Amino acid sequence: MVTIYDVPADDLIEAVAARLEDRIDEPDWVEFTKSGAGKELPPEQEDFWYVRSASLLRKVAQNEPVGIERLATEYGSKKRGSNRYSVRPGEHEGGSRKLIRSALQALEDDGLVTIASGEGRRVSDEGEAFLSEVATEVFEDLDRPELERYA
């Protein structure tokens, strides 16, 4: 059985994002929001919402139980002021908590993530089956000789 640890993260996230487009709805405000306080502009990707949701699902599966604050720290960046000039050394700013919370709520509504009271979010049994199924498909489609030893 192939797990999320057996395939490269970027390939898995891309495949999960493609599947999530049919399962969850993108909010109207996503195209106008920034992905964190350290960013100056919103993301330019067309499928940003689904890629971030897939990435969050993978992070929750790896680090469960995990809370929004810890996820915001992982998705944060350095805040250095404007792109045009730098006036002081950068400090770490967290990622957008609303974006993370909304994506996790959409995944909860779809049954892929559950709330563990007092602990954070966990992947449900349906979510684990979904990730394993996608990981199996990604593993079969991989044409990378360095991964043959895992087959």
Side-chain angles (χ1 to χ4, degrees), residues 17 20 35 48 52 74 78 92-93 104 113-114 120 123 130 138 149:
L20 285 178
S35 61
F48 168 74
R52 180 58 61 98
E74 290 188 29
K78 291 269 188 189
H92 187 271
E93 288 287 330
L104 288 175
V113 175
T114 59
V123 174
F130 173 72
V138 168
R149 63 178 175 215

Side-chain angles (χ1 to χ4, degrees), residues 13-139:
I13 290 171
E14 183 180 318
V16 171
R19 288 239 187 137
L20 285 178
E21 288 183 18
D22 299 331
R23 295 183 72 154
I24 62 175
D25 295 326
E26 178 181 21
D28 298 332
W29 50 263
V30 169
E31 62 185 282
F32 304 112
T33 189
K34 299 189 308 181
S35 61
K39 302 293 183 184
E40 194 169 347
L41 297 171
E44 294 180 358
Q45 291 176 308
E46 289 293 324
D47 60 346
F48 168 74
W49 174 257
Y50 302 108
V51 171
R52 180 58 61 98
S53 298
S55 177
L56 282 166
L57 183 60
R58 181 180 165 274
K59 287 256 188 216
V60 170
Q62 282 184 322
N63 305 322
E64 61 184 1
V66 63
I68 291 175
E69 196 65 33
R70 199 163 97 199
L71 289 169
T73 301
E74 290 188 29
Y75 284 100
S77 63
K78 291 269 188 189
K79 184 172 185 178
R80 294 189 176 98
S82 174
N83 285 338
R84 291 167 279 169
Y85 56 90
S86 183
V87 293
R88 65 180 185 159
E91 295 178 5
H92 187 271
E93 288 287 330
S96 173
R97 287 158 184 79
K98 178 174 176 58
L99 190 68
I100 293 169
R101 189 177 303 108
S102 298
L104 288 175
Q105 287 171 349
L107 292 170
E108 285 171 27
D109 291 342
D110 198 41
L112 300 174
V113 175
T114 59
I115 296 178
S117 61
E119 296 177 349
R121 303 292 205 293
R122 290 183 183 270
V123 174
S124 66
D125 293 336
E126 182 183 343
E128 285 183 25
F130 173 72
L131 284 173
S132 294
E133 178 184 332
V134 174
T136 302
E137 288 180 9
V138 168
F139 189 78

